[in-house]
Amino acid sequence: MEQLSAGGGGENAVEYFFKQERIRSKDALEIIWYHAANRRAQMKEALESDAHMIEADVIFGSQSPIMAHPPETDSDNTLQNWLNEVMQSDKGIKLDFKSGSEMSLILNGTSTSW
């Protein structure tokens, strides 16, 4: 079985942040979440915050995956832009795909540019 490297999802968030000395104990209650970091301003606020984890919502827009929570249907932030920005930080991420039928389209396109 292949071992994943640190930062690659091979360990859970509690272990990761404990090893990084960002939490004092192996208690998940110490992890701070920033929810609904969909729009660029919210994403920037989340990145500048003390949050350990950033949660955002993904829907398929008119031509590409965007960051929005239904009933919203538009956003100033694409999934590609969101990932490019957030992956440069030391934050953990949780993406909430709002439509299972569209999730495969989104994931199959992650290696291409939208």
Side-chain angles (χ1 to χ4, degrees):
M1 183 170 177
E2 183 182 28
Q3 272 299 79
L4 297 176
S5 63
E11 59 189 332
N12 69 43
V14 173
E15 289 289 329
Y16 175 78
F17 292 120
F18 182 74
K19 286 180 182 177
Q20 298 294 318
E21 298 182 354
R22 296 195 50 214
I23 57 176
R24 293 176 298 218
S25 69
K26 293 183 179 183
D27 185 347
L29 293 175
E30 287 191 50
I31 295 177
I32 301 167
W33 285 80
Y34 189 105
H35 292 275
N38 298 321
R39 297 201 169 266
R40 288 179 187 232
Q42 296 163 323
M43 177 188 68
K44 183 177 180 190
E45 184 177 292
L47 290 169
E48 294 172 354
S49 76
D50 290 335
H52 301 98
M53 298 288 297
I54 301 175
E55 181 271 341
D57 307 289
V58 182
I59 64 171
F60 202 81
S62 62
Q63 295 183 6
S64 65
I66 61 172
M67 309 309 290
H69 189 285
E72 292 180 19
T73 58
D74 68 336
S75 178
D76 65 350
N77 212 359
T78 64
L79 173 60
Q80 190 68 50
N81 180 70
W82 194 93
L83 289 170
N84 289 343
E85 294 290 325
V86 176
M87 295 301 290
Q88 293 180 47
S89 75
D90 62 351
K91 311 285 188 189
I93 65 170
K94 176 188 175 272
L95 293 175
D96 187 355
F97 292 88
K98 293 307 198 183
S99 173
S101 62
E102 294 170 345
M103 188 169 80
S104 64
L105 293 173
I106 293 168
L107 293 176
N108 287 334
T110 55
S111 64
T112 62
S113 178
W114 291 294

